[in-house]
């Protein structure tokens, strides 16, 4: 039996937004989120009843993020900001900027595993590669985030 | 346990609310919003109202379990269901006027797809029982074209998908007592008193 789509949005909207923000930055995350959920709503009646909804949504968001990212590289950028040295006091935007600065594979692994809670094997299906490579990428990405900003106020992460 | 900076796990409720509003608009524009719903507060508890693009499809009392009602709509009609309060503003306004005693009949487009056959005939007949009046189950059976189907009239009332708007609360026992009601006996009494007083 399939639950009303509203419950899908309520349950997974926040995680998908974090994933979009990690992949695209705060400006384009809202467009990617919106496109993800419209596409999901369109396909929802055909989704298998026992499907992993979170993995399905992240798969759609992954494709949308690539689309939006490609569109942006063709768009002339405004003023590029010079890179700044890591500050002593770190605000939220800077933590997000550190996520954005990770190599693609690490950023995807961190976002899909730690933000969306997907197991490494599920992520490997979405991004290609294998579960061990995804596991290493997630660990390396997290190590970088910690080195730059430390593991300040903490929240328990997702299942492994 | 692995720890992430808290900034990465926070949720901005305002942003999500804004995105939800945008999703409803995008879904409607793309023809993907099969059922829109909201709740309306009333003297007989919270009411769930749900509509397709053809009209109001479902009105349900709190005691009928709103989550279960939405799950049933997802199963029977479509799972493309979103909370979209703005699209049901006219319904909410008319219900509020009804409970304030300033509205005696509803002027709404209705989607009848949840009822068919004799039950639908019964509901059609109920629409002709005026505000403040009542009929017995036997009278309704006769009015709907099958005088022997008194029990089926009871079933049609109990499964009325459009309570309040299709006034099954105006059907009472022939001895004058109120009889059962989808919203509970107390709700039926409240509605009959409301209409008698206005």
């Amino acid at each position: 039996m399939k639950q009303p789509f509203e419950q899908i949005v309520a349950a997974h909207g926040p995680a998908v937004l974090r994933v979009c923000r990690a992949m695209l930055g705060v400006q384009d995350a809202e467009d990617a989120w919106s496109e993800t959920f419209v596409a999901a709503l369109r396909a929802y009646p055909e989704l298998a009843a026992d499907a992993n909804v979170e993995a399905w949504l992240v798969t759609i968001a992954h494709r949308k993020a690539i689309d939006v990212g490609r569109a942006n590289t063709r768009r002339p950028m405004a003023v590029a900001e010079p890179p700044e040295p890591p500050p002593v006091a770190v605000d939220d935007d800077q933590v997000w900027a550190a996520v954005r600065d990770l190599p693609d594979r690490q950023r995807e692994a961190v976002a899909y595993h730690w933000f969306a809670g997907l197991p490494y094997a599920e992520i490997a299906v979405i991004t290609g590669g294998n579960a061990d490579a995804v596991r290493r990428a997630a660990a390396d990405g997290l190590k970088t985030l910690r080195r730059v900003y430390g593991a300040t106020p903490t929240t328990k992460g997702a299942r492994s | 346990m692995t720890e992430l900076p808290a900034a990465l796990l926070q949720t901005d409720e305002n942003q999500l609310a804004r995105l939800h509003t945008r999703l409803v608009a995008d879904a409607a524009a793309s023809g993907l919003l099969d059922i829109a719903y909201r709740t309306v507060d009333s003297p007989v508890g919270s009411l769930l109202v749900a509509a397709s693009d053809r009209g109001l499809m479902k009105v349900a009392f709190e005691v009928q379990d709103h989550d279960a009602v939405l799950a049933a709509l997802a199963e029977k009609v479509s799972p493309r269901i979103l909370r979209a309060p703005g699209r049901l503003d006219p319904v909410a306004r008319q219900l509020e006027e009804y409970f304030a005693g300033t509205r005696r009949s509803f002027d709404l487009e209705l989607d009848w797809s949840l009822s068919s056959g004799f039950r639908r005939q019964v509901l059609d007949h109920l629409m002709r029982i005026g505000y403040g009046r009542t009929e017995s189950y036997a009278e309704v059976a006769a009015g709907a074209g099958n005088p022997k189907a008194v029990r089926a009239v009871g079933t049609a009332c109990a499964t009325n998908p459009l309570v309040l708007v299709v006034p099954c609360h105006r059907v009472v026992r022939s001895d004058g007592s109120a009889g059962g009601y989808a919203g509970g006996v107390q709700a039926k009494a409240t509605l009959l008193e409301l209409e008698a007083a206005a």
Side-chain angles (χ1 to χ4, degrees), chain A residues 1-2 4-6 14 17-18 30-31 33-34 38 41-42 44-45 92 95-96 114 142 146 153-155 157, chain B residues 2-4 6-11 15 18-20 22 26-27 37 70-71 74-75 79-83:
Chain A
M1 202 180 97
K2 198 160 280 181
F5 194 75
E6 178 68 27
L17 183 56
R18 287 195 290 273
E30 294 201 0
D31 287 342
W33 189 97
S34 298
V38 169
L41 178 61
R42 187 183 302 278
Y44 188 52
D92 291 5
V95 177
W96 280 102
W114 295 110
L142 203 57
R146 281 211 183 114
T154 54
T155 311
Chain B
T2 301
E3 294 164 338
L4 288 173
L8 299 179
L9 294 172
Q10 278 159 7
T11 297
Q15 186 184 24
R18 194 169 66 241
L19 285 168
H20 189 283
R22 178 174 165 185
D26 289 350
Y37 77 90
L70 288 170
E75 189 76 12
R80 288 183 181 137
I81 299 177
L82 287 174
R83 184 174 46 78

Side-chain angles (χ1 to χ4, degrees), chain B residues 39-47 61-63 92-102 106 131 164 181 183-195:
Chain B
T39 55
V40 182
D41 290 333
S42 88
V44 291
S46 175
L47 300 167
F61 292 104
E62 205 164 3
V63 296
R93 194 169 54 247
Q94 292 193 24
L95 284 169
E96 281 159 9
E97 290 166 355
Y98 170 78
F99 284 109
T102 58
F106 294 96
Y131 186 93
L164 300 171
Y181 189 51
V185 174
Q186 185 54 50
K188 190 169 189 174
T190 301
L191 296 172
L192 292 174
E193 280 166 28
L194 167 78
E195 296 191 5

Side-chain angles (χ1 to χ4, degrees), chain A residues 18 40 43 58 61 65 84 88-89 95 102 115 118 123 132 153 158:
Chain A
R18 287 195 290 273
V58 170
E84 291 173 15
V88 180
V95 177
L102 292 174
F115 298 178
L118 297 189
I123 298 169
D132 282 341

Side-chain angles (χ1 to χ4, degrees), chain B residues 146-168:
Chain B
N146 190 347
K148 288 180 179 167
V150 178
R151 189 177 288 271
V153 167
T155 306
C157 289
T159 58
N160 176 10
L162 290 161
V163 295
L164 300 171
V165 175
V166 178
C168 58

Side-chain angles (χ1 to χ4, degrees), chain B residues 17-122:
Chain B
R18 194 169 66 241
L19 285 168
H20 189 283
T21 302
R22 178 174 165 185
L23 174 60
V24 169
D26 289 350
S30 306
L32 296 173
L33 181 52
D34 292 344
I35 300 177
Y37 77 90
R38 64 170 285 173
T39 55
V40 182
D41 290 333
S42 88
V44 291
S46 175
L47 300 167
L48 175 78
V49 293
S52 71
D53 55 6
R54 283 191 287 175
L56 185 64
M57 171 183 272
K58 182 77 187 176
V59 181
F61 292 104
E62 205 164 3
V63 296
Q64 293 175 295
D65 187 349
H66 291 174
D67 284 345
V69 170
L70 288 170
L73 288 174
E75 189 76 12
K76 283 184 213 161
V77 184
S78 167
R80 288 183 181 137
I81 299 177
L82 287 174
R83 184 174 46 78
R87 297 175 69 82
L88 288 142
D89 276 348
V91 175
R93 194 169 54 247
Q94 292 193 24
L95 284 169
E96 281 159 9
E97 290 166 355
Y98 170 78
F99 284 109
T102 58
R103 172 172 290 277
R104 288 168 163 258
S105 66
F106 294 96
D107 181 19
L108 297 167
E109 296 292 323
L110 301 180
D111 180 337
W112 292 97
S113 52
L114 292 175
S115 48
S116 61
F118 183 66
R119 289 184 190 177
R120 172 67 200 280
Q121 283 174 247
V122 170

